[in-house]
């Protein structure tokens, strides 16, 4: 895979439920708060980021940048 864009679908790219749980846990480890259910409801990067962004702002994390490696 060359590039993953903000409109790409997590599950169409090969994501699955265990990987989704792992991703959300890694996000929590770096201080981001996300709900794994949100990834199933909004499986594109842009849509998922919008749901986590609301939680991040509520926790004063909107200025933080985190790199999450799968």
């Amino acid at each position: 895979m060359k590039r993953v864009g903000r409109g790409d679908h997590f599950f169409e790219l090969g994501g699955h439920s265990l990987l989704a749980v792992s991703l959300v846990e890694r996000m929590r480890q770096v201080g981001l708060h996300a709900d794994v259910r949100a990834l199933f409801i909004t499986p594109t990067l842009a849509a998922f980021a919008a749901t986590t962004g609301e939680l991040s702002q509520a926790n004063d994390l909107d200025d933080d940048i985190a790199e999450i490696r799968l």
Side-chain angles (χ1 to χ4, degrees):
M1 177 177 316
K2 293 181 183 179
R3 283 183 96 156
V4 175
R6 58 189 237 154
D8 288 330
H9 192 285
F10 177 79
F11 299 103
E12 290 175 0
L13 292 172
H16 49 78
S17 59
L18 293 176
L19 189 55
V21 171
S22 177
L23 171 64
V24 170
E25 179 56 31
R26 288 179 185 214
M27 291 175 72
R28 289 179 182 153
Q29 289 174 1
V30 296
L32 299 172
H33 299 283
D35 185 343
V36 73
R37 293 173 294 183
L39 185 55
F40 284 90
I41 295 168
T42 55
T44 63
L45 177 59
F48 183 58
T51 66
T52 59
E54 293 170 9
L55 294 172
S56 295
Q57 289 174 6
N59 290 301
D60 297 323
L61 294 173
D62 49 338
D63 291 330
D64 292 349
I65 299 174
E67 180 176 279
I68 300 171
R69 297 176 190 216
L70 299 176

